[in-house]
Amino acid sequence: QVQLVESGGGLVQAGGSLRLSCAASERTFSTYTVAWFRQPPGKEREFVAVDVWNSGVADYADSVKGRFTVSRDNGKNTVYLQMNSLKPEDTAVYYCAAVRFAVRSTWRQKSTYVYWGPGTQVTVSS
């Protein structure tokens, strides 16, 4: 079973940056499609970004395009989410999620992902 844990969250002022990490226990983590979701207070979990296995493709929610970037360090079995120009509406618990196989039409769906981390809190003050 793949175990995931997020880190790097915290409190930041609007306009600032944070880098989240998703570390996996799975040594073949590079073969997984990995996504980031977030859950703002009182709202449902929503798609943020995805790094697609063996494709060189990343996709982002419209709300974060141009501000967030997903990347990998396969040697460390870690996926990153670099968050720049943060806004108060980015405040949420951020989750890392992974699945071995996913078709393009399902990349943004929560139900696609089998493995989830416990989340890390990001709070952006104005």
Side-chain angles (χ1 to χ4, degrees):
Q1 182 177 349
V2 177
Q3 295 177 321
L4 307 174
V5 60
E6 304 92 342
S7 62
L11 176 64
V12 64
Q13 190 175 2
S17 298
L18 286 173
R19 188 192 193 194
L20 304 184
S21 298
C22 174
S25 62
E26 173 59 53
R27 63 183 178 181
T28 62
F29 195 47
S30 62
T31 68
Y32 286 72
T33 291
V34 180
W36 290 92
F37 289 79
R38 67 187 183 187
Q39 188 163 15
K43 298 175 67 176
E44 293 188 0
R45 199 169 300 182
E46 64 185 24
F47 171 79
V48 176
V50 62
D51 184 59
V52 181
W53 163 65
N54 201 35
S55 71
V57 172
D59 194 26
Y60 301 90
D62 289 343
S63 59
V64 307
K65 284 181 179 178
R67 301 189 297 120
F68 291 11
T69 304
V70 65
S71 62
R72 293 191 192 221
D73 185 335
N74 289 326
K76 296 181 179 180
N77 295 324
T78 300
V79 173
Y80 302 98
L81 183 68
Q82 178 67 46
M83 306 187 297
N84 298 326
S85 301
L86 284 162
K87 304 174 181 179
E89 51 262 45
D90 295 319
T91 295
V93 177
Y94 282 71
Y95 298 90
C96 177
V99 68
R100 190 70 181 269
F101 302 103
V103 297
R104 185 173 185 175
S105 61
T106 69
W107 290 347
R108 294 170 175 246
Q109 300 175 6
K110 297 187 294 292
S111 60
T112 296
Y113 299 93
V114 175
Y115 307 104
W116 293 81
T120 185
Q121 176 71 48
V122 172
T123 303
V124 184
S125 62
S126 60

